[in-house]
Amino acid sequence: MKDPLPLNPQALDLDEPAGGLSSYPPSDLWDDWTEYDATQWPKKVEKHYSLIPTICFNCEAGCGLLAYVDKKTNRIQKFEGNPTHPGSRGRNCAKGPATINQVTDPERILYPLRRAGKRGEGKWERVTWDEVLDDLGARIRKALQDERKNEIMYHVGRPGHELIYNQRVLHAWGIDGHNSHTNVCSAGARTGYAFWHGFDRPSPDHANARFILLLSSHLEAGHYFNPHAQRIIDGKMAGAKVCVIDTRLSNTATKADYWLSTWPGSESAVLLTMCNILLQENLFDREFVRQWVNWEDYLRNEHSTSPQTFEAFLETLKHTYAQYTPEFAAKESGADPRVIVEVAREIARAGSAMSAHVWRNAAAGNLGGWQVARALEFLSVLVGAVGTPGGTSPSASNKYIPTPPMMPPPPNAWNELMWAREYPLAFFEMSFLLPHFLKEGRGKLAMYFSRVYNPVWTNPDGLSWIEALTDESKVERHACLSPTWSETAWYADYVLPMGHASERHDLMSQETHSARWIGFRQPVLRLALEKQGRKFNSTYEAHREVGLGEVWEEDEFWLELSWRVDPDGSLGIRRYFESPYRPGEKLRIEEYYRWIFENSVPGLPQAAAAEGLTPLDYMRKYGAFLIENNIYESHKKALKPEELQNSTVDPVTHVVKKNGAPIGVQIEGKSVTGFPTPSRKLEFFSKTLKDWGWPEHSIPGYIKSHVHRDNIDVAKGEMLLLPTFRLPTLIHTRSGNAKWLYEISHKNPIWMHHEDGDRLGVVTSDLVRVQTAIGYFVDKVWVTESIRPGVIACSHHLGRWRLKEDSGGERWSTALVDLKQTEPGKWMMRQLHGIQPFASDDPDSSRIHWEDAGVHQNLTFPVQPDPISGQHCWHQKVTVAKARAEDRYGDVFVDTNLAHEEYQRWLQMTRSAPGPGKLRRPLWMIRVYRPAPEAFYFPG
């Protein structure tokens, strides 16, 4: 067969480049990179670019980007991957290059706005930043002076600079004011992992694995999915087998060696059955279990009359898990028992090179979902695949958080509007319950910040959020920090434009593989101008220079606001925002990062010096730094002699303590770091769970979900709704201004098996009404073999809306809706029209060819907090029927009175603090923005 001609025949006349082709521009040419202008073809018109590295902000992975800044116009031409970034290695998914859509979005907010009417009325006026900062600063100062510290709250969705910067801010203010989205995201899995090894995230070494076990579609849309996807493919190309446990036939499942389509919530039963097979067939790593599992604690506490030997533990273990037979797992899950057995034996063959991961999906969907992560980690522990090449490490082994200058001490403060006493073991703040806490009179907010967070749209029960945010007696002042309109921003008092990914500084480090790296997000247009000799005191000034209105970067916003809160230094706040190089003067943002790179990143000063650069200039040039590679078995790290000086060893537990605090554990007579758990080992048995009122769940187990088969009455039309899956091209609430992404993905139909379609008499594109406990929504059906009978699925990434024709939401992605409260607590939403072409400075806006914006299902979900992890349990028991004559596509009805009743029903499942010693929460457990130790105790 003849070689095909190139698409452009003139390419035949081109000379082969000297040295061959390169994948990326060499870094030594980044200051002046030349390309031909594609719009001038066939003329060879050169364009000169300054290539400036930054970090993508369109998911949590923190992949590297290179911004191509036109040196003539000072405009960004495009974004491509940064080949020097250790996590993403120059490769990006669709979301990275789409950053250019966000930067050039004709509807982005460029100036600070203040509401000019009632909240939600949609009337706004432009104000100055000085007006904003003076108002907010005065309100915060007054609340601090009045000892109303718990009335200040910062609510963030996707952390960026929060890695270290914002903790400094809130701790300097002396408040426990950080609220997050994590309990609607990943708290379930985090809890399960933390009860094993103290860290709340897994770090799988997929590239070196022989067997890869994935719960959900990690290859296409999971946590850190681009860096993980690369390494899953690396592992598969090297011969690894892949098993996907996912109710849906995801794209990842289609490429797997094994696909187990389980009934949602049954995953723990399947995983524990695999554990039982390893135990009964003696396919586990005896020595690893003997050395590193806290089996002695388990026997002392639960089987004190039995022989206190490892052999006795193994017999107890085998007896305890004998109930998890393949037949039991098949009955619970619907999976083929023969495949379950085969996968278990494949895991045994892989041994310590079995990588595994669960993040949301099963752990976030179900009551007791945290036990899915416990069961999955149990598999890893049994085969000794913890911290090994090809195994799964605790996250801290592969993540680096540098120490900043002038870190304030943690405050003696505890905010029960976030860390409620009913949920003492909740892994993150009970953020999605805030409207209900406010409704019950547990407190109020003098100052509420929302940032990269859209609770009205993202959270369950969004109409309860609207009721809270429009009540000025509950939320006195709301500032939404956002470069774009959102459903939540519409109900704010201020909408304050903050920079996109390429318009601000911050640091990123994620556990993408078995290494530690740090990435540097930076405002590329400011850097481009400074390379030309311009100097700016702030990024805001540079943005104004290049026509970006008055867009701030958040680091500088918080710095300036803190000076306004404490202008004379009398509150003791201002000192933490003064320069470490110019005493008494205001900190400049480049000084902050200069100090970190000079003093707090191992190896960076030396690497910079080798190239004749300062550490800051090195990070400006490359945008990332690999601190350490090939990190394994961190728990075996020997304690240093100076660490052991004046230490003691508990003769029973072998825990090494210094000044009363555990610092390690003795294993075979050697003092090593171990894990940050009470036993310093992997905790099969959690005395914490027992002591805090949950003895029945102190070891890995199976908790029947709230959507267990037994709770679904098919005769009444009941089904299970799985609403948690992502689309790989969208980014929750942040992709609304990315036209390329919405052109690809803009509808979220109901996945339905053909058996259920036949039963209901519906075919693809028919409308169905999906009734939840508090309301209903109307959506189209996609009939498919790719879902289990009895289960429907709908992606949570779509259904954006706005209330006015030309404002309040990105017109690339939102439907215009009518939203009315027909009676107290009863809300009805109807779409007036879908996405339509519109006139703007971007000619593409007139070329929009898609109409569908999807359906906002989350509004109809009641809050369903797991009583242990605090995770919202996303899966819904629903009734599905053909749409009624009066129903229209996209209709949503919600009764917030019923929503509050559901909140109270789930609240009854909790077992409240105080715990042992009048503690609010176990001292050893991770707590984000950790306050002072004394704050952990109830007064009195």
Side-chain angles (χ1 to χ4, degrees):
M1 179 179 174
K2 294 178 64 178
D3 292 336
L5 288 173
L7 293 176
N8 181 354
Q10 291 191 20
L12 292 171
D13 299 328
L14 297 176
D15 295 328
E16 183 175 333
L21 296 173
S22 61
S23 298
Y24 299 94
S27 58
D28 58 345
L29 300 180
W30 286 1
D31 281 342
D32 188 20
W33 176 248
T34 304
E35 290 186 354
Y36 291 133
D37 186 346
T39 64
Q40 299 296 316
W41 184 87
K43 297 178 182 178
K44 295 181 178 180
V45 178
E46 289 187 350
K47 297 194 79 169
H48 293 262
Y49 296 101
S50 178
L51 273 53
I52 301 174
T54 189
I55 301 291
C56 182
F57 193 62
N58 284 340
C59 84
E60 56 271 45
C63 297
L65 292 176
L66 281 181
Y68 285 60
V69 181
D70 189 314
K71 299 180 76 169
K72 183 177 181 180
T73 64
N74 289 322
R75 293 185 177 275
I76 302 170
Q77 177 68 22
K78 61 181 176 180
F79 289 93
E80 292 188 350
N82 179 1
T84 68
H85 189 287
S88 55
R89 305 184 291 190
R91 310 170 199 173
N92 293 93
C93 72
K95 298 197 284 288
T99 300
I100 191 66
N101 297 161
Q102 298 167 317
V103 171
T104 60
D105 170 29
E107 297 198 298
R108 66 178 297 181
I109 300 167
L110 295 176
Y111 300 94
L113 300 174
R114 181 173 60 198
R115 69 175 170 96
K118 295 180 180 179
R119 284 187 190 160
E121 192 176 357
K123 295 180 180 179
W124 302 92
E125 61 182 358
R126 180 175 160 183
V127 291
T128 68
W129 277 106
D130 278 333
E131 290 178 279
V132 173
L133 290 162
D134 285 343
D135 179 22
L136 302 186
R139 287 178 177 276
I140 294 167
R141 180 169 63 253
K142 184 71 164 59
L144 296 178
Q145 291 172 332
D146 293 349
E147 293 297 321
R148 294 181 287 114
K149 295 182 178 182
N150 284 351
E151 293 186 12
I152 305 166
M153 184 180 292
Y154 170 67
H155 203 164
V156 62
R158 174 54 51 212
H161 65 282
E162 283 76 17
L163 184 67
I164 47 175
Y165 191 89
N166 196 258
Q167 181 171 329
R168 292 180 68 256
V169 175
L170 301 188
H171 281 188
W173 294 359
I175 66 172
D176 184 24
H178 175 271
N179 210 348
S180 76
H181 80 299
T182 311
N183 266 332
V184 298
C185 180
S186 55
R190 291 172 187 262
T191 301
Y193 282 116
F195 280 132
W196 264 109
H197 50 54
F199 299 107
D200 66 337
R201 297 185 182 202
S203 181
D205 187 25
H206 292 312
N208 296 304
R210 292 191 291 270
F211 194 88
I212 299 171
L213 179 57
L214 304 174
L215 274 73
S216 188
S217 54
H218 291 259
L219 184 59
E220 64 196 85
H223 200 57
Y224 307 150
F225 81 91
N226 169 39
H228 277 185
Q230 294 180 32
R231 290 164 176 88
I232 291 169
I233 294 301
D234 289 346
K236 192 165 174 59
M237 290 177 68
K241 292 186 176 181
V242 177
C243 174
V244 172
I245 299 177
D246 193 348
T247 307
R248 297 182 310 116
L249 182 63
S250 63
N251 292 333
T252 304
T254 66
K255 304 299 183 184
D257 298 279
Y258 302 95
W259 172 44
L260 292 171
S261 176
T262 52
W263 184 269
S266 67
E267 294 83 0
S268 293
V270 172
L271 294 169
L272 293 174
T273 295
M274 294 178 183
C275 292
N276 181 42
I277 292 166
L278 299 183
L279 289 167
Q280 302 301 336
E281 298 183 9
N282 292 310
L283 299 175
F284 60 95
D285 187 331
R286 291 173 58 93
E287 274 305 287
F288 182 84
V289 173
R290 184 184 67 82
Q291 289 186 351
W292 286 104
V293 171
N294 70 334
W295 59 268
E296 293 158 305
D297 287 348
Y298 175 61
L299 292 180
R300 273 195 302 271
N301 283 272
E302 301 298 293
H303 299 277
S304 58
T305 59
S306 299
Q308 303 291 291
T309 65
F310 183 61
E311 293 302 323
F313 168 70
L314 292 182
E315 288 304 312
T316 302
L317 202 60
K318 291 180 179 182
H319 175 76
T320 300
Y321 290 97
Q323 61 183 303
Y324 294 101
T325 63
E327 293 72 26
F328 172 77
K331 176 178 176 293
E332 291 296 294
S333 70
D336 188 332
R338 295 167 299 179
V339 178
I340 294 173
V341 173
E342 186 175 342
V343 169
R345 290 172 179 163
E346 287 286 354
I347 289 170
R349 279 189 280 273
S352 62
M354 190 275 287
S355 65
H357 200 188
V358 61
W359 196 236
R360 298 188 67 221
N361 189 273
N366 298 286
L367 176 67
W370 59 276
Q371 280 282 31
V372 176
R374 281 275 273 165
L376 182 61
E377 185 68 7
F378 193 14
L379 262 180
S380 296
V381 170
L382 285 176
V383 294
V386 179
T388 53
T392 304
S393 296
S395 57
S397 299
N398 305 139
K399 188 181 180 87
Y400 186 75
I401 301 178
T403 302
M406 305 168 291
M407 191 67 184
N412 182 11
W414 192 280
N415 195 334
E416 288 203 18
L417 280 177
M418 299 176 298
W419 299 92
R421 64 184 62 199
E422 292 93 340
Y423 299 92
L425 303 179
F427 218 75
F428 271 75
E429 308 93 342
M430 299 304 299
S431 62
F432 61 101
L433 300 186
L434 181 61
H436 297 282
F437 290 164
L438 295 173
K439 188 171 186 173
E440 291 178 330
R442 298 191 185 202
K444 67 179 179 68
L445 296 176
M447 188 66 240
Y448 177 68
F449 294 96
S450 58
R451 182 246 174 197
V452 197
Y453 196 41
N454 188 4
V456 169
W457 183 79
T458 303
N459 281 5
D461 190 18
L463 289 159
S464 289
W465 278 88
I466 290 178
E467 291 177 353
L469 292 175
T470 52
D471 186 340
E472 295 186 46
S473 69
K474 294 181 173 65
V475 181
E476 294 176 357
R477 184 68 88 235
H478 174 195
C480 180
L481 279 53
S482 173
T484 60
W485 285 107
S486 70
E487 291 82 352
T488 299
W490 194 250
Y491 297 96
D493 299 303
Y494 289 107
V495 182
L496 306 179
M498 298 290 153
H500 284 296
S502 61
E503 297 168 351
R504 67 176 193 269
H505 292 90
D506 63 53
L507 299 176
M508 291 295 292
S509 180
Q510 304 290 24
E511 57 277 10
T512 55
H513 61 297
S514 295
R516 284 196 186 106
W517 55 266
I518 190 163
F520 189 28
R521 183 178 283 122
Q522 45 187 348
V524 299
L525 292 177
R526 175 179 179 175
L527 262 69
L529 292 175
E530 289 181 341
K531 285 185 176 185
Q532 298 170 17
R534 302 293 305 278
K535 291 297 178 187
F536 302 96
N537 290 320
S538 69
T539 301
Y540 155 78
E541 296 172 358
H543 285 163
R544 186 169 53 191
E545 182 77 13
V546 295
L548 266 181
E550 297 179 358
V551 175
W552 278 56
E553 67 161 293
E554 281 144 292
D555 283 4
E556 292 178 340
F557 169 79
W558 294 113
L559 192 160
E560 183 62 34
L561 180 58
S562 295
W563 271 66
R564 305 282 177 117
V565 171
D566 187 18
D568 59 4
S570 61
L571 297 181
I573 293 172
R574 203 184 84 172
R575 58 182 170 168
Y576 296 110
F577 302 92
E578 295 176 349
S579 169
Y581 304 101
R582 299 173 296 110
E585 296 187 48
K586 189 181 295 183
L587 176 68
R588 293 176 184 156
I589 206 62
E590 66 270 17
E591 294 176 325
Y592 177 77
Y593 290 102
R594 171 189 164 188
W595 190 97
I596 289 175
F597 296 148
E598 288 177 349
N599 297 282
S600 194
V601 182
L604 176 57
Q606 293 80 5
E611 297 199 21
L613 299 171
T614 68
L616 177 61
D617 287 339
Y618 182 99
M619 293 301 289
R620 291 267 192 234
K621 178 178 180 179
Y622 294 108
F625 179 68
L626 179 64
I627 297 168
E628 186 178 0
N629 204 5
N630 298 318
I631 302 170
Y632 299 107
E633 297 186 323
S634 299
H635 54 282
K636 292 184 177 180
K637 182 180 179 182
L639 293 172
K640 297 176 182 178
E642 56 268 29
E643 292 174 309
L644 289 171
Q645 189 173 3
N646 300 320
S647 66
T648 60
V649 179
D650 188 295
V652 176
T653 65
H654 312 294
V655 172
V656 181
K657 292 185 177 182
K658 188 171 184 178
N659 300 323
I663 61 169
V665 64
Q666 279 199 347
I667 303 292
E668 308 292 338
K670 296 180 180 178
S671 296
V672 295
T673 301
F675 300 91
T677 60
S679 66
R680 304 298 291 193
K681 292 186 176 183
L682 293 163
E683 298 212 337
F684 164 78
F685 167 69
S686 172
K687 193 169 186 298
T688 299
L689 281 164
K690 181 178 181 179
D691 290 347
W692 286 76
W694 300 97
E696 68 272 34
H697 301 312
S698 61
I699 64 173
Y702 172 43
I703 298 173
K704 286 190 174 183
S705 174
H706 63 297
V707 288
H708 186 272
R709 289 173 182 268
D710 293 348
N711 300 330
I712 306 292
D713 190 339
V714 178
K716 294 181 179 179
E718 293 179 353
M719 300 182 73
L720 187 159
L721 169 60
L722 188 159
T724 53
F725 69 94
R726 296 181 176 189
L727 299 177
T729 47
L730 297 183
I731 322 136
H732 300 301
T733 195
R734 296 198 299 290
S735 52
N737 58 347
K739 60 185 179 184
W740 294 344
L741 301 181
Y742 256 81
E743 183 175 26
I744 297 170
S745 305
H746 45 261
K747 57 182 68 174
N748 59 340
I750 298 289
W751 294 36
M752 181 181 289
H753 193 272
H754 78 88
E755 291 180 8
D756 296 313
D758 292 344
R759 176 173 55 82
L760 293 171
V762 296
V763 297
T764 295
S765 296
D766 282 353
L767 293 180
V768 292
R769 177 187 281 208
V770 181
Q771 183 86 36
T772 70
I774 66 170
Y776 66 83
F777 66 93
V778 179
D779 198 357
K780 298 173 185 175
V781 167
W782 179 49
V783 177
T784 174
E785 300 292 309
S786 303
I787 193 80
R788 291 196 65 83
V791 179
I792 58 173
C794 184
S795 174
H796 63 274
H797 264 166
L798 287 141
R800 301 297 303 277
W801 49 269
R802 67 185 189 278
L803 293 172
K804 283 201 172 182
E805 184 65 66
D806 58 356
S807 65
E810 290 286 336
R811 285 179 283 179
W812 305 103
S813 57
T814 60
L816 181 68
V817 305
D818 177 50
L819 177 63
K820 293 179 179 177
Q821 188 171 192
T822 58
E823 298 177 37
K826 294 185 178 181
W827 295 81
M828 183 71 198
M829 176 185 288
R830 171 154 289 180
Q831 293 191 8
L832 301 178
H833 66 70
I835 299 170
Q836 297 179 340
F838 63 96
S840 78
D841 294 337
D842 184 343
D844 282 347
S845 68
S846 65
R847 302 172 181 140
I848 291 175
H849 58 84
W850 61 96
E851 297 180 8
D852 205 335
V855 178
H856 189 190
Q857 58 175 336
N858 290 12
L859 284 174
T860 70
F861 300 163
V863 295
Q864 299 178 158
D866 183 272
I868 294 177
S869 69
Q871 169 75 54
H872 170 62
C873 305
W874 278 102
H875 294 343
Q876 303 287 318
K877 182 173 78 170
V878 297
T879 302
V880 184
K882 292 183 72 170
R884 302 176 186 179
E886 67 270 21
D887 289 339
R888 299 290 181 271
Y889 176 69
D891 278 358
V892 173
F893 171 78
V894 173
D895 186 339
T896 57
N897 303 302
L898 293 177
H900 193 64
E901 290 177 12
E902 282 296 300
Y903 152 76
Q904 292 173 322
R905 184 172 73 84
W906 280 74
L907 190 68
Q908 295 306 309
M909 302 180 192
T910 62
R911 300 174 190 176
S912 296
K918 290 193 173 181
L919 278 167
R920 299 177 182 272
R921 177 182 181 83
L923 283 166
W924 72 269
M925 287 182 70
I926 295 172
R927 219 223 80 169
V928 67
Y929 286 45
R930 191 179 184 90
E934 54 266 30
F936 279 71
Y937 294 88
F938 282 98

